[in-house]
């Protein structure tokens, strides 16, 4: 754990069973599947994939689990930057398309 020099209170999270590392691995795989959905999995067409709010709820937990590990401080910082960008997109009204790797459909107004 990164904070070993300050306290040993978090040692049960890594010894004797690596619970924190396992949580970090699972959240990292979830983030990878969330950002790059495979067409073989049906996750790409779910409302969970299209929800920026859900990402803003899960990514702080992933960032915290990464920041608690010494080897995970850089990914934890990347999670924080990603959360900032997702918050910016959410506040601007961005949407995630229901179909991966597609652009949102826009209605045509007027003559073209």
């Amino acid at each position: 754990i990164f904070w070993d020099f300050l306290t040993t209170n978090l040692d049960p999270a890594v010894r004797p069973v690596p619970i924190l590392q396992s949580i970090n691995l699972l959240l990292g795989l979830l983030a990878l599947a969330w950002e790059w959905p495979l067409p073989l999995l049906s996750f790409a067409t779910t409302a969970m994939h299209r929800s920026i709010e859900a990402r803003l709820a899960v990514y702080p937990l992933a960032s915290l689990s990464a920041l608690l590990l010494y080897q995970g401080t850089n990914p934890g910082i990347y999670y924080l930057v990603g959360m900032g960008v997702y918050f910016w997109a959410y506040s601007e009204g961005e949407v995630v398309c229901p179909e991966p790797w597609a652009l949102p459909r826009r209605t045509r107004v007027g003559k073209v």
Side-chain angles (χ1 to χ4, degrees), residues 34-35 43-59 86 89-90 94-98:
W34 215 335
E35 296 300 328
F43 184 70
T45 58
T46 62
M48 186 79 162
H49 170 70
R50 294 188 306 268
S51 175
I52 294 178
E53 296 92 346
R55 293 176 194 204
L56 287 173
V58 172
Y59 283 170
Y86 272 121
Y90 177 72
E94 290 285 329
V95 294
V96 179
C97 294

Side-chain angles (χ1 to χ4, degrees), residues 2 4 9-10 19 28 38 44 52 64-65 68 70-72 78 84 88-89 92 101 104 106 109:
F2 180 67
D4 269 350
N9 290 339
L10 296 173
I19 297 169
L38 295 174
I52 294 178
L64 177 65
S65 71
L68 286 176
Y70 176 71
Q71 296 91 351
Y78 301 150
W88 182 18
E92 292 287 326
W101 311 109
R106 298 185 185 211
V109 178

Side-chain angles (χ1 to χ4, degrees), residues 75-89:
I77 294 170
Y78 301 150
Y79 275 127
L80 291 174
V81 170
M83 284 186 310
V85 172
Y86 272 121
F87 183 74
W88 182 18

Side-chain angles (χ1 to χ4, degrees), residues 7-77:
T7 182
T8 58
N9 290 339
L10 296 173
D11 282 351
V14 293
R15 279 188 246 153
V17 180
I19 297 169
L20 187 59
Q21 289 92 337
S22 301
I23 291 171
N24 197 14
L25 178 68
L26 291 175
L27 287 173
L29 290 174
L30 174 71
L32 184 67
W34 215 335
E35 296 300 328
W36 286 308
L38 295 174
L40 301 173
L41 303 173
S42 62
F43 184 70
T45 58
T46 62
M48 186 79 162
H49 170 70
R50 294 188 306 268
S51 175
I52 294 178
E53 296 92 346
R55 293 176 194 204
L56 287 173
V58 172
Y59 283 170
L61 300 174
S63 177
L64 177 65
S65 71
L67 287 171
L68 286 176
L69 294 173
Y70 176 71
Q71 296 91 351
T73 52
N74 282 345
I77 294 170

